[in-house]
Each structure stands twice: as C-alpha cells, then as structure tokens.
Amino acid sequence: MDALSLILDDIRLRGARFQHVRLAAPWKLWLSTPGLASFHICRQGRACLLRSDCDPLQLEPGDLVILPLGTEHRLQDCPDSPAREHDLSRDLESGQVEVLHLDGGGEITELLSGHFRFDIDLARPLMNALPPVIHLRGDNGVPPAWLHIGLQFLFNEQASVQLGQQAVINRMADVLFIECLRYYMDTLPAGSESWLLAMRDDALSSVLVAMHSRPEYDWTAPRLAEIACMSRSAFVERFKSFMGAPPLTYLREHRMRLAAWQLRHTRQPVCRIADQLGYGSDTAFGQAFKRSHGCTPSQYRQRG
C-alpha cells in the first residue's frame, strides 16, 4: 500500500451522515461539527459560505467544499440573507433520509450536506496539514466525473433503508475525502515542504509505508535512511523539513497515538499493547506513554 492509504486507514473514518437539502431563497443554514469533517455539494443554484475568519465563498453548481475540522460556518442564499437560521446539525444527527425543505418562495438551491467522524488523535498530523476549507470547483456546473457517479449511487442507496447501509455510506465518505485530498495535494505549489507532499516523495513515502506498516519494528535512523536510499544525515534533514519532526520522533508520536486508540477502544492488556508497539517491557511503554500523555496507560484507560 502507499503511504497515504495507510495513514487514511489509521484515522478510522466512520459514522458518515448525508442530508439532501432543497432550499428556496431566502434561506440560511448553520453548522458546527468540531471533531468531525463537514462538507457541502452544490447540485443546483448557488450558495454563499460564511466563516468568521475569511471572506464569503461562493458555491456554484458542481462545487464541493469540505471543512476538515468542522469549523463553524453558515450557508445562505446571499451574504446578507434576512432568513431565519436553521441548525443543520440536528437533521444530520437524526439520520433522516427525507429531503429537508426550507421554502422562502424564491430561487431554488439544492445541496447535499454532511459530516463524518474520524479518530481525532490519529488524524491530527493529517488534519494539521490541511487548510480550514478545501474548495473543489465544478466545470461549468458539472461536478467531476467521480463525484457525479458517486452522487447517483448515494441517492439510490438512500432511497430506502437497506442492510449494511451505514457501511456503504461510510465508504462513500471515504471516497469523497480521498478525492478532496488528491485535489488539494495537486494544487500545492512546486517546492512546498508540506507534510502531505511527503506522500509523493519516493524516498519519504517508502519510509512512511515502512513505519506505518510495522510500527512495532525496532526502526533506527540508519535503517530508515537505507530504505530511502539516502545518507543518514540527508535523510533525517529531509524528513524533518517535510514532516516537522525527526523520523524517530515521528515514529514515537505515532506509536503513542496508536496506543491511546487501543486503550480507548479495546480491552487488551497494557502488556499486549506494549508488545504490539515494539516496547520490550511494560515499564518502558508506561514511561513513554506518560511522557506523551501526562498519565499512565491505566489512568488514561480509566478516564475513558
């Protein structure tokens, strides 16, 4: 597998919710989903996305916008819409399949909005590398081919309740997020030393695949440099410039994120978790975990 695929596997995307919205101006939607990524797809009409820290963003038919960290925002028919605000989060949490109608009597806008969950700690390096908003524009009102096909499939899937439906919807959210990542990575200027561009760097990508595939292995800087086909000093400097930390620091932090997930979501004994992450003893693991999280693994588990 490639590095980005492994990292996306780690974040454990789940719990996707989609809401079909049909709006007649004037209208105004509010959404804030901290800890969840939110998104909107404009199928018809126009929408204005407003955040407190930037200028209004105009959405046209075929556009997709994703807010990776679920930043509080509003969608409305125009920047100074007089409409009463509607809390979209309630509709998303209800899981209803019916179309949401807000009828102000004016021009029609049709949206597909939603959010999905991910493990905040495991996803932190990825999310920190992303902007607050990713805007993928359509082509003269037509969404990209993958999105057009996906929307047709999704509407068919949501037409009735079916077995395995949530798993299918989660996979659709996977595709949506991955395609947005690809788009964003393609737009990064040449020469940028972004964490994401490490996925396309042959030397660093091969190292990330090794570390994420076998986090328990006793990796050393010289061994990782061999995988990158670079000298040790050149490799460490290159890794640090892209990833923001030396390779072994990155590995240690990744292990601690995996450990925290295991402690929260499984009942595996601490000794088993320590062994899975390459620590020779419970003591060594406990000391490393306390340095990272400020408490012992057992205390962390008790806090839930």
Side-chain angles (χ1 to χ4, degrees):
M1 294 178 72
D2 62 274
L4 184 59
S5 294
L6 287 168
I7 289 169
L8 289 170
D9 280 348
D10 280 343
I11 74 173
R12 294 176 168 84
L13 186 150
R14 67 196 187 282
R17 293 285 187 271
F18 290 84
Q19 178 64 56
H20 186 189
V21 185
R22 188 170 176 83
L23 310 144
W27 55 269
K28 185 183 295 183
L29 302 175
W30 177 87
L31 186 61
S32 178
T33 58
L36 295 81
S38 56
F39 59 88
H40 305 280
I41 301 165
C42 185
R43 302 190 71 210
Q44 176 185 346
R46 290 170 176 77
C48 182
L49 187 147
L50 299 173
R51 294 187 298 127
S52 60
D53 58 348
C54 66
D55 294 333
L57 178 64
Q58 188 73 21
L59 302 186
E60 304 286 344
D63 286 9
L64 180 155
V65 63
I66 184 167
L67 296 89
L69 295 177
T71 308
E72 179 181 341
H73 62 282
R74 288 166 177 78
L75 275 176
Q76 47 201 67
D77 60 293
C78 63
D80 56 353
S81 175
R84 183 178 178 180
E85 191 171 271
H86 179 88
D87 184 354
L88 184 58
S89 62
R90 295 178 183 177
D91 303 282
L92 290 170
E93 288 303 321
S94 72
Q96 66 178 12
V97 297
E98 296 84 6
V99 178
L100 169 64
H101 290 274
L102 296 180
D103 190 0
E107 181 181 357
I108 298 296
T109 294
E110 187 176 347
L111 303 171
L112 184 68
S113 299
H115 62 56
F116 52 84
R117 303 178 186 278
F118 50 85
D119 188 276
I120 294 175
D121 288 333
L122 287 170
R124 196 177 307 281
L126 174 60
M127 295 303 169
N128 287 345
L130 295 175
V133 176
I134 299 174
H135 184 192
L136 196 159
R137 298 184 183 277
D139 183 11
N140 293 321
V142 180
W146 65 267
L147 182 56
H148 178 70
I149 295 170
L151 287 174
Q152 290 180 316
F153 182 87
L154 182 62
F155 282 119
N156 288 338
E157 180 66 26
Q158 287 192 303
S160 60
V161 178
Q162 304 180 62
L163 292 175
Q165 190 169 56
Q166 186 59 57
V168 172
I169 291 173
N170 286 345
R171 299 302 170 268
M172 292 299 301
D174 270 333
V175 172
L176 184 150
F177 186 49
I178 292 167
E179 289 290 349
C180 285
L181 282 178
R182 286 173 171 172
Y183 167 80
Y184 178 68
M185 290 166 66
D186 286 342
T187 64
L188 288 171
S192 298
E193 291 187 340
S194 166
W195 187 92
L196 284 167
L197 287 185
M199 310 302 141
R200 289 187 169 172
D201 182 280
D202 290 341
L204 297 185
S205 180
S206 60
V207 168
L208 289 169
V209 167
M211 288 196 290
H212 281 261
S213 298
R214 300 180 63 191
E216 79 286 355
Y217 187 76
D218 185 20
W219 296 111
T220 64
R223 177 70 186 106
L224 293 171
E226 287 180 12
I227 294 174
C229 299
M230 300 174 68
S231 70
R232 180 188 179 281
S233 59
F235 161 68
V236 171
E237 182 61 30
R238 185 172 184 82
F239 191 98
K240 186 176 180 180
S241 68
F242 274 85
M243 306 300 291
L248 298 188
T249 299
Y250 175 88
L251 176 61
R252 182 175 66 250
E253 292 173 349
H254 177 58
R255 286 171 170 169
M256 291 300 100
R257 288 190 290 269
L258 292 174
W261 189 91
Q262 292 272 24
L263 291 166
R264 288 197 307 273
H265 298 285
T266 77
R267 303 310 303 170
Q268 289 199 79
V270 171
C271 61
R272 176 61 177 155
I273 296 173
D275 182 62
Q276 288 177 343
L277 296 176
Y279 287 89
S281 69
D282 295 359
T283 301
F285 171 64
Q287 291 173 343
F289 191 89
K290 188 170 185 179
R291 284 194 297 271
S292 175
H293 290 84
C295 61
T296 67
S298 296
Q299 290 169 338
Y300 185 89
R301 173 170 271 168
Q302 289 170 1
R303 294 174 184 175

